[in-house]
Amino acid sequence: MSRSDFEDFATKLGCHLKKPTTLVVIGFSVVIMMGCPDRITMDVDVWRKRSQIDLDDLRQACAACGVLFNPKGRVSK
């Protein structure tokens, strides 16, 4: 995922959220925004303690975007 792809994803996710939300993104997503060309992993880590999230709203927005949502651990297929 490139920086542009990540920005497009974040915009799309935001369009599907029904409630005001603040996501504090950590991990490699931040490195991409700072100029690294590509992602090493395909997950987006959110620092829940500092974010303002309605989990049900975020879950439905992720589903609408076609991405998996799993706040408790690893995603398995």
Side-chain angles (χ1 to χ4, degrees), residues 13 16-24 44-64 67-73:
L13 183 67
H16 290 289
L17 289 166
K18 296 176 181 157
K19 298 179 181 178
T21 301
T22 299
L23 296 177
V24 178
V44 175
D45 301 313
V46 174
W47 188 13
R48 186 168 176 192
K49 184 176 180 179
R50 295 299 246 177
S51 298
Q52 296 173 356
I53 307 168
D54 179 295
L55 288 178
D56 289 332
D57 189 35
L58 184 57
R59 187 177 288 112
Q60 72 79 28
C62 288
V67 298
L68 298 174
F69 173 84
N70 184 357
K72 295 182 181 177

Side-chain angles (χ1 to χ4, degrees), residues 25-42:
V25 178
I26 60 175
F28 209 80
S29 299
V30 177
V31 176
I32 286 176
M33 299 310 288
M34 299 299 290
C36 185
D38 296 308
R39 284 190 69 79
I40 293 175
T41 62
M42 293 305 293

